[in-house]
Amino acid sequence: MDLEREGGRGANQLRPLDCSRNVLNRAHGSGSCSHGETRVLAAVYGPKAGTKKNENPEKACLEVIWKPKIGQIGKADKEFEMILKRTLQNICLLTAHPNTTTSIIIQVVHDDGSLLPCAIHAACTALVDAGIPLKYLAVAICCCLVENGRIILDPNKMEEQRMKALVHLVFPSPVQSVLPEGSKEDGIITSLSHGVMTVDDYFQCVKHGRAAVAPLSNILTKKLQSQSPSNQSVAG
Amino acid sequence: MTLNEKKFIETALLSDLRIDGRGPFDYRNVAIKFGREDGSSEVQLGQTHVMGFVTSQLVQPYRDRPNEGTLSIYTEFSTMADPSFEIGRPGVFAVELGRIVDRGLRESRAVDTESLCVVAGKWVWSIRIDLHILDNGGNLVDAANIAALVALLTFRRPECTLGGDNDQEVIIHSPEVREPLPLIVHHFPVAITFAFIGSESTVVIDPSNFEEAVMGGKLTATLNTNGDVCAIQKAGGDGVVQSVIMQCLRIASVKAADITNKIKKAVESYNTERALRKIKRHPDPVVDVSKGAGMGVRSLSIEMEKTRLEIEDRKVNRSDDREIETHSSKKTGSSRDPYSKGINGDELKASLASRAAATSVEKMDVLPSVKTQFTMIDKTPTEMDSTPSLQQTIEAGEQTIKVKTLMDAVKPKHRRKKKTYPNHDLS
């Protein structure tokens, strides 16, 4: 039962992932990430003084602004903002800069499926570029359930529209720890599902997604490391 | 901005020095890139970064203009461009930028709105331009204007026909069914901005963000290469002598011509790349070798013929300086591209060698009887002479078919050439 995917990809094959840091000049940190044709740009400003009104001043506050490609911000975009904020709150070291606000601005350049994972990777890249202290990187994957029960990873727009159900999963990137014990941060940071699926299918998706974490996080760390930090002064 | 920095910039300008090393009338480098879809552009002017997206929709026209389409511009001063830009309603500068670009494009009748009418009084196309400012390195107006222009030039709107009962229903065709159409743009209005700095009102072109923080006044002139002034904007600020304004306009017309050339080149290269992509999507059935034995031999000889014609054509076109990925056109042998530059001999030899080797292998499958002839050729694959020798062997084998294949090789190519380059109206 061989599934025919566009571009000849297998069910477990991801699109080429590309990440680059320091793409903008004014922002304190910036990153761009592309999963195949999907491209997202992220910029970070911060930490700035003061927190928002109802936020805890003993911790740093994160603010996410999602900019869609066309038109004003809508309900779906506000949901993405909320998801990104909670996800990034988990990976940032919030106690390092108490009573500050860090703004993360996400701009969608092109959406060809798997938009949320791409945005999370772009946000992580921008945070790394800005020097915000993080506990670990986040690795996100989109698992899709098609009609015949097969699970495919990293769908493009056409596949997303035809799917039966969809799950976005975010895992912590495995940290090389000095301690001999495995890190206990092994759980799912975020899980967002659309459509109807059985419980077994869901756990299958989680299993497939977790299998993709190691290669994805290797690619991400390699891309972030290979770009040497540039020592440029702001004055021209 | 500190007082020290202000004084430094002003004093340096008195000796005709700008802090980024340019002269007072040097424009920064413009880099134009395109996105994946039609109508998306990314412009970099020094450190300023602007993206433009164009979309279209069928709407009802305005009451007083029943047979004209509409063009609307939305500017997003994204918070990522500058820490001082805030979210929420667009500020004064965003509105001003939107109005300048709008005046240059719509009120100067650069975009033909009458061609956007589908059913007079009922359905017209509404073109929407979204400009996203990503990075504020100074002079946002010029960059945004170029981004809007380039996005409009590469945008394709879906073709629609009237149908249904009464011919009143509009059917929009998807891009796979009918080729989408480009917009009609009569001329290219290009905006050039000048800043007036200091008490002597020194003029600089294309201010960077530091110069913008120091300047006393700003003048934006939108011109086109026909010598028309489409718009001038000088909103307050320091008073400037009339002769200085005339000098600025003269300089602006020179720079506008430069920028128009760059825009035209970029859009043309995008159009040829787009056409190439379309050709790759629909491979020519004649060149497909895998379709059975009988077809196989004939098509292989056609391919060899086409290779020979291609080599000759490429030698003729060596003077063109257009860069196209030539390996893509080699793959589908029949897609001859008139803009391909002359390939250097080594590349051609290597590719022909690989193709000759590949085709000779396939021939071995198809014609086992002539296997002995081809083993000899396999050992010397790196010469261009291998192709004529292969042809000779084919000639020996099938004389009659060869005559037919030459005509078949020439005719479909010409037909296809006319089909894939329909709308090249960039005068």
Side-chain angles (χ1 to χ4, degrees), chain B residues 117-155:
Chain B
C117 177
V118 180
V119 179
K122 286 190 84 184
W123 293 114
V124 296
W125 283 109
S126 161
I127 306 289
R128 182 197 162 111
I129 308 176
D130 282 274
L131 293 168
H132 295 281
I133 314 284
L134 301 176
D135 211 357
N136 183 10
N139 199 2
L140 295 172
V141 180
D142 292 10
N145 198 320
I146 299 175
L149 248 185
V150 171
L152 279 173
L153 288 170
T154 55
F155 175 66

mmCIF file of all heavy atoms in Angstrom, chain B residues 117-155:
data_model
loop_
_atom_site.group_PDB
_atom_site.id
_atom_site.type_symbol
_atom_site.label_atom_id
_atom_site.label_comp_id
_atom_site.label_asym_id
_atom_site.label_seq_id
_atom_site.Cartn_x
_atom_site.Cartn_y
_atom_site.Cartn_z
ATOM 1 N N CYS B 117 -12.607 45.528 -15.695
ATOM 2 C CA CYS B 117 -14.057 45.422 -15.631
ATOM 3 C C CYS B 117 -14.491 44.114 -16.281
ATOM 4 O O CYS B 117 -13.990 43.747 -17.342
ATOM 5 C CB CYS B 117 -14.676 46.608 -16.358
ATOM 6 S SG CYS B 117 -16.451 46.529 -16.417
ATOM 7 N N VAL B 118 -15.407 43.398 -15.643
ATOM 8 C CA VAL B 118 -15.912 42.150 -16.196
ATOM 9 C C VAL B 118 -17.335 42.357 -16.721
ATOM 10 O O VAL B 118 -17.616 42.143 -17.890
ATOM 11 C CB VAL B 118 -15.879 41.038 -15.134
ATOM 12 C CG1 VAL B 118 -16.395 39.747 -15.719
ATOM 13 C CG2 VAL B 118 -14.478 40.853 -14.615
ATOM 14 N N VAL B 119 -18.241 42.755 -15.823
ATOM 15 C CA VAL B 119 -19.596 43.101 -16.238
ATOM 16 C C VAL B 119 -19.835 44.510 -15.729
ATOM 17 O O VAL B 119 -19.824 44.752 -14.525
ATOM 18 C CB VAL B 119 -20.650 42.155 -15.623
ATOM 19 C CG1 VAL B 119 -22.035 42.556 -16.064
ATOM 20 C CG2 VAL B 119 -20.354 40.724 -16.003
ATOM 21 N N ALA B 120 -20.020 45.450 -16.647
ATOM 22 C CA ALA B 120 -20.115 46.857 -16.236
ATOM 23 C C ALA B 120 -21.248 47.036 -15.253
ATOM 24 O O ALA B 120 -22.376 46.606 -15.490
ATOM 25 C CB ALA B 120 -20.339 47.728 -17.467
ATOM 26 N N GLY B 121 -20.951 47.679 -14.169
ATOM 27 C CA GLY B 121 -21.970 47.962 -13.169
ATOM 28 C C GLY B 121 -22.213 46.832 -12.188
ATOM 29 O O GLY B 121 -22.863 47.041 -11.170
ATOM 30 N N LYS B 122 -21.684 45.619 -12.475
ATOM 31 C CA LYS B 122 -21.974 44.518 -11.552
ATOM 32 C C LYS B 122 -20.714 43.881 -10.996
ATOM 33 O O LYS B 122 -20.573 43.700 -9.796
ATOM 34 C CB LYS B 122 -22.809 43.450 -12.259
ATOM 35 C CG LYS B 122 -24.235 43.886 -12.462
ATOM 36 C CD LYS B 122 -25.103 42.757 -12.930
ATOM 37 C CE LYS B 122 -25.585 41.925 -11.739
ATOM 38 N NZ LYS B 122 -26.362 40.774 -12.188
ATOM 39 N N TRP B 123 -19.787 43.483 -11.866
ATOM 40 C CA TRP B 123 -18.599 42.791 -11.384
ATOM 41 C C TRP B 123 -17.348 43.419 -11.941
ATOM 42 O O TRP B 123 -17.219 43.601 -13.142
ATOM 43 C CB TRP B 123 -18.622 41.311 -11.816
ATOM 44 C CG TRP B 123 -19.692 40.502 -11.186
ATOM 45 C CD1 TRP B 123 -20.756 39.928 -11.802
ATOM 46 C CD2 TRP B 123 -19.807 40.186 -9.796
ATOM 47 N NE1 TRP B 123 -21.527 39.267 -10.902
ATOM 48 C CE2 TRP B 123 -20.964 39.405 -9.646
ATOM 49 C CE3 TRP B 123 -19.050 40.475 -8.658
ATOM 50 C CZ2 TRP B 123 -21.384 38.923 -8.417
ATOM 51 C CZ3 TRP B 123 -19.466 39.994 -7.434
ATOM 52 C CH2 TRP B 123 -20.626 39.214 -7.324
ATOM 53 N N VAL B 124 -16.427 43.771 -11.049
ATOM 54 C CA VAL B 124 -15.113 44.253 -11.476
ATOM 55 C C VAL B 124 -14.066 43.591 -10.584
ATOM 56 O O VAL B 124 -14.386 43.112 -9.487
ATOM 57 C CB VAL B 124 -14.974 45.793 -11.363
ATOM 58 C CG1 VAL B 124 -15.923 46.492 -12.298
ATOM 59 C CG2 VAL B 124 -15.167 46.244 -9.945
ATOM 60 N N TRP B 125 -12.834 43.580 -11.063
ATOM 61 C CA TRP B 125 -11.746 43.052 -10.261
ATOM 62 C C TRP B 125 -11.258 44.126 -9.311
ATOM 63 O O TRP B 125 -11.045 45.275 -9.697
ATOM 64 C CB TRP B 125 -10.577 42.628 -11.161
ATOM 65 C CG TRP B 125 -10.789 41.337 -11.864
ATOM 66 C CD1 TRP B 125 -11.019 41.165 -13.185
ATOM 67 C CD2 TRP B 125 -10.779 40.032 -11.289
ATOM 68 N NE1 TRP B 125 -11.151 39.845 -13.480
ATOM 69 C CE2 TRP B 125 -11.009 39.121 -12.338
ATOM 70 C CE3 TRP B 125 -10.589 39.541 -10.005
ATOM 71 C CZ2 TRP B 125 -11.057 37.742 -12.137
ATOM 72 C CZ3 TRP B 125 -10.639 38.164 -9.794
ATOM 73 C CH2 TRP B 125 -10.873 37.285 -10.858
ATOM 74 N N SER B 126 -11.053 43.724 -8.079
ATOM 75 C CA SER B 126 -10.481 44.639 -7.103
ATOM 76 C C SER B 126 -9.094 44.117 -6.758
ATOM 77 O O SER B 126 -8.939 42.995 -6.280
ATOM 78 C CB SER B 126 -11.365 44.679 -5.858
ATOM 79 O OG SER B 126 -10.634 45.190 -4.778
ATOM 80 N N ILE B 127 -8.086 44.928 -7.038
ATOM 81 C CA ILE B 127 -6.705 44.511 -6.793
ATOM 82 C C ILE B 127 -6.292 45.070 -5.439
ATOM 83 O O ILE B 127 -6.455 46.259 -5.170
ATOM 84 C CB ILE B 127 -5.769 45.077 -7.874
ATOM 85 C CG1 ILE B 127 -6.278 44.706 -9.257
ATOM 86 C CG2 ILE B 127 -4.359 44.587 -7.683
ATOM 87 C CD1 ILE B 127 -6.134 43.273 -9.609
ATOM 88 N N ARG B 128 -5.754 44.210 -4.614
ATOM 89 C CA ARG B 128 -5.346 44.626 -3.279
ATOM 90 C C ARG B 128 -3.846 44.412 -3.139
ATOM 91 O O ARG B 128 -3.357 43.323 -3.394
ATOM 92 C CB ARG B 128 -6.103 43.781 -2.256
ATOM 93 C CG ARG B 128 -5.794 44.158 -0.838
ATOM 94 C CD ARG B 128 -6.219 43.054 0.116
ATOM 95 N NE ARG B 128 -5.547 43.256 1.370
ATOM 96 C CZ ARG B 128 -6.151 43.627 2.509
ATOM 97 N NH1 ARG B 128 -7.457 43.809 2.532
ATOM 98 N NH2 ARG B 128 -5.456 43.814 3.602
ATOM 99 N N ILE B 129 -3.124 45.458 -2.755
ATOM 100 C CA ILE B 129 -1.678 45.355 -2.548
ATOM 101 C C ILE B 129 -1.412 45.458 -1.052
ATOM 102 O O ILE B 129 -1.788 46.448 -0.427
ATOM 103 C CB ILE B 129 -0.929 46.494 -3.270
ATOM 104 C CG1 ILE B 129 -1.343 46.555 -4.733
ATOM 105 C CG2 ILE B 129 0.562 46.289 -3.171
ATOM 106 C CD1 ILE B 129 -0.713 47.704 -5.459
ATOM 107 N N ASP B 130 -0.757 44.439 -0.493
ATOM 108 C CA ASP B 130 -0.354 44.494 0.918
ATOM 109 C C ASP B 130 1.136 44.726 0.982
ATOM 110 O O ASP B 130 1.902 43.934 0.437
ATOM 111 C CB ASP B 130 -0.670 43.159 1.612
ATOM 112 C CG ASP B 130 -2.124 43.033 1.965
ATOM 113 O OD1 ASP B 130 -2.502 43.501 3.042
ATOM 114 O OD2 ASP B 130 -2.872 42.480 1.150
ATOM 115 N N LEU B 131 1.543 45.818 1.631
ATOM 116 C CA LEU B 131 2.971 46.090 1.766
ATOM 117 C C LEU B 131 3.363 45.863 3.217
ATOM 118 O O LEU B 131 2.779 46.460 4.120
ATOM 119 C CB LEU B 131 3.265 47.548 1.381
ATOM 120 C CG LEU B 131 3.040 47.879 -0.087
ATOM 121 C CD1 LEU B 131 3.074 49.368 -0.296
ATOM 122 C CD2 LEU B 131 4.091 47.215 -0.943
ATOM 123 N N HIS B 132 4.342 44.984 3.427
ATOM 124 C CA HIS B 132 4.817 44.733 4.783
ATOM 125 C C HIS B 132 6.210 45.317 4.920
ATOM 126 O O HIS B 132 7.117 44.939 4.183
ATOM 127 C CB HIS B 132 4.900 43.223 5.051
ATOM 128 C CG HIS B 132 3.578 42.545 5.036
ATOM 129 N ND1 HIS B 132 2.705 42.584 6.080
ATOM 130 C CD2 HIS B 132 2.972 41.818 4.083
ATOM 131 C CE1 HIS B 132 1.621 41.900 5.790
ATOM 132 N NE2 HIS B 132 1.754 41.418 4.576
ATOM 133 N N ILE B 133 6.364 46.230 5.869
ATOM 134 C CA ILE B 133 7.689 46.793 6.122
ATOM 135 C C ILE B 133 8.362 45.890 7.153
ATOM 136 O O ILE B 133 7.866 45.741 8.262
ATOM 137 C CB ILE B 133 7.597 48.218 6.699
ATOM 138 C CG1 ILE B 133 6.594 49.051 5.918
ATOM 139 C CG2 ILE B 133 8.961 48.858 6.727
ATOM 140 C CD1 ILE B 133 7.051 49.534 4.602
ATOM 141 N N LEU B 134 9.457 45.253 6.752
ATOM 142 C CA LEU B 134 10.088 44.309 7.665
ATOM 143 C C LEU B 134 11.256 44.911 8.410
ATOM 144 O O LEU B 134 11.566 44.498 9.513
ATOM 145 C CB LEU B 134 10.588 43.091 6.873
ATOM 146 C CG LEU B 134 9.513 42.343 6.109
ATOM 147 C CD1 LEU B 134 10.163 41.242 5.316
ATOM 148 C CD2 LEU B 134 8.499 41.766 7.054
ATOM 149 N N ASP B 135 11.968 45.859 7.793
ATOM 150 C CA ASP B 135 13.179 46.371 8.395
ATOM 151 C C ASP B 135 13.300 47.831 7.999
ATOM 152 O O ASP B 135 13.275 48.144 6.806
ATOM 153 C CB ASP B 135 14.377 45.572 7.859
ATOM 154 C CG ASP B 135 15.485 45.485 8.875
ATOM 155 O OD1 ASP B 135 15.360 46.082 9.955
ATOM 156 O OD2 ASP B 135 16.493 44.833 8.577
ATOM 157 N N ASN B 136 13.421 48.714 8.984
ATOM 158 C CA ASN B 136 13.483 50.131 8.685
ATOM 159 C C ASN B 136 14.931 50.583 8.655
ATOM 160 O O ASN B 136 15.537 50.854 9.693
ATOM 161 C CB ASN B 136 12.693 50.906 9.761
ATOM 162 C CG ASN B 136 12.664 52.387 9.468
ATOM 163 O OD1 ASN B 136 13.062 52.826 8.392
ATOM 164 N ND2 ASN B 136 12.184 53.164 10.428
ATOM 165 N N GLY B 137 15.486 50.685 7.431
ATOM 166 C CA GLY B 137 16.834 51.211 7.325
ATOM 167 C C GLY B 137 16.820 52.583 6.704
ATOM 168 O O GLY B 137 17.827 53.056 6.195
ATOM 169 N N GLY B 138 15.652 53.228 6.725
ATOM 170 C CA GLY B 138 15.529 54.557 6.123
ATOM 171 C C GLY B 138 14.915 54.475 4.737
ATOM 172 O O GLY B 138 15.022 53.477 4.053
ATOM 173 N N ASN B 139 14.220 55.533 4.350
ATOM 174 C CA ASN B 139 13.644 55.651 3.007
ATOM 175 C C ASN B 139 12.676 54.511 2.700
ATOM 176 O O ASN B 139 12.861 53.739 1.758
ATOM 177 C CB ASN B 139 14.758 55.686 1.960
ATOM 178 C CG ASN B 139 14.264 56.254 0.657
ATOM 179 O OD1 ASN B 139 13.105 56.657 0.543
ATOM 180 N ND2 ASN B 139 15.130 56.284 -0.322
ATOM 181 N N LEU B 140 11.634 54.413 3.514
ATOM 182 C CA LEU B 140 10.660 53.343 3.321
ATOM 183 C C LEU B 140 9.809 53.581 2.089
ATOM 184 O O LEU B 140 9.356 52.638 1.447
ATOM 185 C CB LEU B 140 9.753 53.237 4.551
ATOM 186 C CG LEU B 140 10.447 52.823 5.836
ATOM 187 C CD1 LEU B 140 9.496 52.953 6.994
ATOM 188 C CD2 LEU B 140 10.947 51.412 5.729
ATOM 189 N N VAL B 141 9.589 54.856 1.738
ATOM 190 C CA VAL B 141 8.673 55.158 0.634
ATOM 191 C C VAL B 141 9.190 54.584 -0.679
ATOM 192 O O VAL B 141 8.461 53.914 -1.414
ATOM 193 C CB VAL B 141 8.491 56.681 0.474
ATOM 194 C CG1 VAL B 141 7.545 56.981 -0.649
ATOM 195 C CG2 VAL B 141 7.996 57.275 1.754
ATOM 196 N N ASP B 142 10.451 54.826 -0.967
ATOM 197 C CA ASP B 142 11.009 54.337 -2.230
ATOM 198 C C ASP B 142 10.956 52.826 -2.306
ATOM 199 O O ASP B 142 10.546 52.243 -3.312
ATOM 200 C CB ASP B 142 12.468 54.789 -2.359
ATOM 201 C CG ASP B 142 12.600 56.280 -2.527
ATOM 202 O OD1 ASP B 142 11.574 56.975 -2.353
ATOM 203 O OD2 ASP B 142 13.702 56.744 -2.819
ATOM 204 N N ALA B 143 11.383 52.176 -1.213
ATOM 205 C CA ALA B 143 11.406 50.717 -1.226
ATOM 206 C C ALA B 143 9.996 50.155 -1.382
ATOM 207 O O ALA B 143 9.767 49.209 -2.130
ATOM 208 C CB ALA B 143 12.051 50.199 0.060
ATOM 209 N N ALA B 144 9.043 50.760 -0.664
ATOM 210 C CA ALA B 144 7.671 50.259 -0.741
ATOM 211 C C ALA B 144 7.113 50.454 -2.143
ATOM 212 O O ALA B 144 6.379 49.600 -2.663
ATOM 213 C CB ALA B 144 6.797 50.987 0.281
ATOM 214 N N ASN B 145 7.444 51.576 -2.762
ATOM 215 C CA ASN B 145 6.966 51.832 -4.115
ATOM 216 C C ASN B 145 7.493 50.794 -5.094
ATOM 217 O O ASN B 145 6.755 50.250 -5.917
ATOM 218 C CB ASN B 145 7.424 53.225 -4.540
ATOM 219 C CG ASN B 145 6.636 53.748 -5.706
ATOM 220 O OD1 ASN B 145 6.314 53.021 -6.636
ATOM 221 N ND2 ASN B 145 6.316 55.012 -5.668
ATOM 222 N N ILE B 146 8.799 50.495 -4.998
ATOM 223 C CA ILE B 146 9.380 49.490 -5.892
ATOM 224 C C ILE B 146 8.730 48.131 -5.640
ATOM 225 O O ILE B 146 8.402 47.397 -6.574
ATOM 226 C CB ILE B 146 10.911 49.396 -5.700
ATOM 227 C CG1 ILE B 146 11.566 50.734 -6.018
ATOM 228 C CG2 ILE B 146 11.503 48.315 -6.578
ATOM 229 C CD1 ILE B 146 13.047 50.749 -5.749
ATOM 230 N N ALA B 147 8.520 47.797 -4.356
ATOM 231 C CA ALA B 147 7.915 46.498 -4.039
ATOM 232 C C ALA B 147 6.516 46.404 -4.627
ATOM 233 O O ALA B 147 6.128 45.377 -5.196
ATOM 234 C CB ALA B 147 7.874 46.286 -2.526
ATOM 235 N N ALA B 148 5.740 47.503 -4.501
ATOM 236 C CA ALA B 148 4.376 47.483 -5.035
ATOM 237 C C ALA B 148 4.402 47.327 -6.552
ATOM 238 O O ALA B 148 3.652 46.535 -7.139
ATOM 239 C CB ALA B 148 3.644 48.763 -4.639
ATOM 240 N N LEU B 149 5.268 48.071 -7.224
ATOM 241 C CA LEU B 149 5.373 48.010 -8.683
ATOM 242 C C LEU B 149 5.736 46.615 -9.160
ATOM 243 O O LEU B 149 5.105 46.047 -10.052
ATOM 244 C CB LEU B 149 6.476 48.958 -9.145
ATOM 245 C CG LEU B 149 6.073 50.184 -9.929
ATOM 246 C CD1 LEU B 149 7.311 50.904 -10.393
ATOM 247 C CD2 LEU B 149 5.241 49.811 -11.139
ATOM 248 N N VAL B 150 6.785 46.053 -8.543
ATOM 249 C CA VAL B 150 7.260 44.752 -8.979
ATOM 250 C C VAL B 150 6.198 43.685 -8.736
ATOM 251 O O VAL B 150 5.979 42.807 -9.566
ATOM 252 C CB VAL B 150 8.574 44.415 -8.239
ATOM 253 C CG1 VAL B 150 8.971 43.002 -8.500
ATOM 254 C CG2 VAL B 150 9.672 45.331 -8.682
ATOM 255 N N ALA B 151 5.520 43.769 -7.591
ATOM 256 C CA ALA B 151 4.469 42.784 -7.309
ATOM 257 C C ALA B 151 3.343 42.902 -8.329
ATOM 258 O O ALA B 151 2.807 41.895 -8.793
ATOM 259 C CB ALA B 151 3.939 42.966 -5.893
ATOM 260 N N LEU B 152 2.982 44.138 -8.704
ATOM 261 C CA LEU B 152 1.922 44.313 -9.694
ATOM 262 C C LEU B 152 2.338 43.748 -11.044
ATOM 263 O O LEU B 152 1.526 43.187 -11.769
ATOM 264 C CB LEU B 152 1.596 45.797 -9.853
ATOM 265 C CG LEU B 152 0.686 46.413 -8.810
ATOM 266 C CD1 LEU B 152 0.616 47.906 -9.026
ATOM 267 C CD2 LEU B 152 -0.704 45.822 -8.898
ATOM 268 N N LEU B 153 3.615 43.932 -11.397
ATOM 269 C CA LEU B 153 4.058 43.473 -12.708
ATOM 270 C C LEU B 153 4.123 41.960 -12.791
ATOM 271 O O LEU B 153 3.975 41.394 -13.866
ATOM 272 C CB LEU B 153 5.438 44.062 -13.031
ATOM 273 C CG LEU B 153 5.430 45.543 -13.341
ATOM 274 C CD1 LEU B 153 6.849 46.058 -13.394
ATOM 275 C CD2 LEU B 153 4.752 45.802 -14.664
ATOM 276 N N THR B 154 4.361 41.288 -11.679
ATOM 277 C CA THR B 154 4.445 39.840 -11.742
ATOM 278 C C THR B 154 3.151 39.168 -11.334
ATOM 279 O O THR B 154 3.068 37.947 -11.309
ATOM 280 C CB THR B 154 5.567 39.303 -10.832
ATOM 281 O OG1 THR B 154 5.339 39.790 -9.516
ATOM 282 C CG2 THR B 154 6.913 39.745 -11.318
ATOM 283 N N PHE B 155 2.124 39.947 -11.030
ATOM 284 C CA PHE B 155 0.862 39.352 -10.607
ATOM 285 C C PHE B 155 0.094 38.850 -11.821
ATOM 286 O O PHE B 155 0.146 39.455 -12.888
ATOM 287 C CB PHE B 155 0.047 40.397 -9.847
ATOM 288 C CG PHE B 155 -1.322 39.935 -9.476
ATOM 289 C CD1 PHE B 155 -1.484 38.904 -8.576
ATOM 290 C CD2 PHE B 155 -2.440 40.523 -10.016
ATOM 291 C CE1 PHE B 155 -2.732 38.465 -8.234
ATOM 292 C CE2 PHE B 155 -3.702 40.095 -9.675
ATOM 293 C CZ PHE B 155 -3.850 39.064 -8.779
#
